[in-house]
Amino acid sequence: MPHKPNLDEDYTRLLQSLLPPGPAWAGDNPLLDGLAPSLARVHQRADDLMKEINPAQSMELTDRYDTLCGLPDPCLDPRPQTREERQQILDAKVNTVGGMHEGFFLEQLRLLGYPTATLEQFQHFDRSPDPAWGDRWRYYWRVHIPAEARIRTMTCVSACDSPLRHWGERAVECVIERLCPSHTQVLFAYPTGDNHASH
């Protein structure tokens, strides 16, 4: 990035002010005229590098930030990302503060594209919603993915080993399972008409 022209003038004046008084320094000074642009470029370069401290603004250190933060995220779509998308992901990775409360997970679901998703926490119930869960039901919770979730049905052009119906948001499930408290088990529910399919 080219430095601002007025920085040359600023450094020229600064260097002139450092010179001792006397007629020897009167008039043009090629030495100062040569030093000022170099100092201005160093100044501008320092400003540019200061911006790199913030991953959301990084232009030059994005690859290094990716390595430090374990990106690209294996949970996310491996498609090529724009610089703006990479900056947003880096910003979220570096600055997201974790939590074990409902609001934290709802915010993650919003960032993943599901602002209307809801959570169901079974520890608030007096009895198990499903007897098959045994006495561990209090450690389960469920994410209800709204109707816009991708649900794919087998068609006549599908592979012969394809399931009759396949649903799920791999990225959402991967992220939430990675963030969920280690002593809990998260379930995901997807709408199928008037009912929900869970897994």
Side-chain angles (χ1 to χ4, degrees), residues 104-175:
F104 169 73
F105 290 100
L106 290 175
E107 176 63 14
Q108 301 310 303
L109 289 164
R110 184 190 68 79
L111 293 173
L112 290 166
Y114 290 101
T116 59
T118 58
L119 302 182
E120 189 176 12
Q121 301 183 65
F122 300 121
Q123 72 265 29
H124 300 315
F125 293 0
D126 294 330
R127 58 186 177 81
S128 171
D130 187 339
W133 296 354
D135 59 359
R136 295 174 57 85
W137 64 271
R138 292 183 181 274
Y139 302 108
Y140 284 83
W141 55 290
R142 183 157 50 199
V143 177
H144 291 273
I145 305 294
E148 59 263 29
R150 290 177 295 181
I151 299 177
R152 295 166 290 280
T153 304
M154 183 180 185
T155 67
C156 59
V157 296
S158 300
C160 61
D161 58 350
S162 298
L164 296 178
R165 170 173 281 187
H166 181 263
W167 61 85
E169 287 288 0
R170 188 188 68 82
V172 173
E173 294 185 17
C174 180
V175 170

Side-chain angles (χ1 to χ4, degrees), residues 6 9 79 81 85 97 103 105 123 132 139 188 191 193 198:
N6 63 339
E9 300 172 6
R79 66 174 176 78
Q81 297 164 333
E85 288 173 330
V97 178
F105 290 100
Q123 72 265 29
Y139 302 108
F188 296 90
S198 298

